[in-house]
Amino acid sequence: MPISARRAAVAALTVVATAVAGCSSARTHPDAKGSSPHAGASTPSSTSSPSSAGPGGSIPVGPGPQPAYTVQPQPSPGSCHVRHTTGKQPLPDPKCTPGATNPKVTAATLKTTICRSGYTKGIRPPVNITSREKKANAASYGYTGPLHDAEYDHLISLQLGGDPNDPRNLWVEPPSPGHRPGAGPNNPKDVVENRLKAAICSGKTELTKAQEAIAHDWTTAESVLGLKQ
């Protein structure tokens, strides 16, 4: 091959090699935000927070018991609406009050938490906190009756592993049908909560299933769990 032809071939091969190297470099270069598009790039890790979903994916997880509670902001006035069962029992607005669980209460900690006598007393927020929240939450739900007759209720009660002071787990529950005005709160839901706690601690039902049932509708919770006699 003539020298001139050999030189031309070498030059052509050099150009091709340079182009290939350039393409390879472009594929491994970080993008404009400084992160590599390759699978080896780091991504934000998923962490638990007060807005995280619970074990069942439907109930948020709250911050849990606090050494000192503070007054929590409530939904804007008039933004929440009370629902009623066929028996006229009041239920909360699921958008405002979906419930929230206590992260300290799990299937593995039952004996040291809700199944231990006195546990809920030690995590309950003080009245000077809840009384202010109750007044603000009444405005959220448009409740205009006597606050003395309405219970500032944990949708998932403390004894069922509900969060103590997450605003998603508390609401001003109006009196049940047949309530005598001025007599104070009259909440038949309390009896159901007691029975569900007994069922959890005796192993007759699972913690998360009981929480989901009570958050959905306390009047049907026992039937849903197969505990209704």
Side-chain angles (χ1 to χ4, degrees), residues 151-214:
E151 180 175 343
Y152 191 46
D153 184 61
H154 288 94
L155 180 60
I156 303 174
S157 66
L158 299 186
Q159 64 179 335
L160 297 179
D163 192 86
N165 200 40
D166 190 314
R168 295 169 297 183
N169 195 43
L170 284 153
W171 74 299
V172 172
E173 184 176 22
S176 292
H179 175 265
R180 181 168 57 85
N186 173 31
N187 194 352
K189 174 173 174 274
D190 295 341
V191 176
V192 174
E193 292 169 346
N194 292 338
R195 290 200 286 252
L196 290 188
K197 177 198 170 182
I200 292 169
C201 294
S202 65
K204 292 181 179 179
T205 193
E206 296 176 21
L207 173 68
T208 55
K209 289 183 178 179
Q211 291 172 336
E212 290 166 1
I214 200 80

Side-chain angles (χ1 to χ4, degrees), residues 92-108:
D93 188 326
K95 292 182 179 179
C96 295
T97 317
T101 59
N102 176 354
K104 300 294 184 182
V105 180
T106 67

Side-chain angles (χ1 to χ4, degrees), residues 78-103:
S79 63
C80 307
H81 307 283
V82 179
R83 298 176 296 135
H84 291 88
T85 67
T86 54
K88 306 301 182 183
Q89 293 288 359
L91 297 176
D93 188 326
K95 292 182 179 179
C96 295
T97 317
T101 59
N102 176 354

